[in-house]
């Protein structure tokens, strides 16, 4: 059995992965082989499209986009945790779907004078639909 952990690079998902690796014998169903834990991270945004969120007087460096969700730093953090836990780690590219299902509707709503919440669209359309489907497709 394969167990996929959605790894954001944060404490919660890193702890979940560590507990699954540590307690692997306890999560094996009767008669099955030991479970394989893998880490998955969503690549949602082409990081080159927005090289900085800070102005030139804020000490920003080219390519730095610190402090925002889904950054390359988060991917690097998740990869470091997976390496430490010695579990396979994969980055799943959802850039096109994110652009279509989250960014597009956000921009349209914003321009229409609404106050859209892109994270709620991402949670329903990407994380809890496409991401779970992808995990199932790889046998998790």
């Amino acid at each position: 059995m394969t167990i996929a952990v959605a790894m954001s690079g944060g404490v919660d998902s890193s702890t979940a992965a560590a507990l699954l690796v540590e307690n692997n014998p306890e999560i094996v169903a009767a008669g099955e082989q030991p479970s394989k834990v893998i880490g998955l991270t969503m690549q949602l945004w082409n990081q080159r499209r927005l090289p900085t969120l800070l102005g030139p007087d804020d000490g920003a460096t080219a390519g730095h986009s610190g402090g925002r969700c889904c950054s390359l730093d988060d991917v690097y953090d998740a990869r470091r945790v997976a390496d430490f836990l010695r579990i396979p780690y994969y980055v799943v590219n959802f850039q096109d779907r994110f652009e279509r299902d989250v960014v597009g509707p956000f921009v349209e709503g914003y321009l229409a004078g609404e106050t859209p919440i892109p994270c709620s669209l991402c949670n329903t359309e990407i994380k809890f639909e496409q991401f779970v489907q992808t995990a199932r497709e790889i046998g998790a």
Side-chain angles (χ1 to χ4, degrees), residues 5-21 74 77-82 85 87:
V5 178
M7 297 183 71
S8 66
V11 173
D12 295 344
S13 61
S14 298
T15 300
L19 289 171
L20 284 168
V21 169
D74 296 333
D77 289 344
R79 182 177 301 281
R80 278 194 299 272
V81 170
L85 297 173
I87 62 172

Side-chain angles (χ1 to χ4, degrees), residues 106-135:
F106 170 80
V107 171
E108 289 173 15
Y110 189 80
L111 292 175
E114 300 170 357
T115 309
I117 304 172
C119 295
S120 64
L121 283 175
C122 184
N123 286 342
T124 57
E125 300 297 322
I126 309 294
K127 290 180 185 175
F128 299 123
E129 182 180 309
Q130 185 62 50
F131 197 70
V132 170
Q133 178 183 332
T134 298

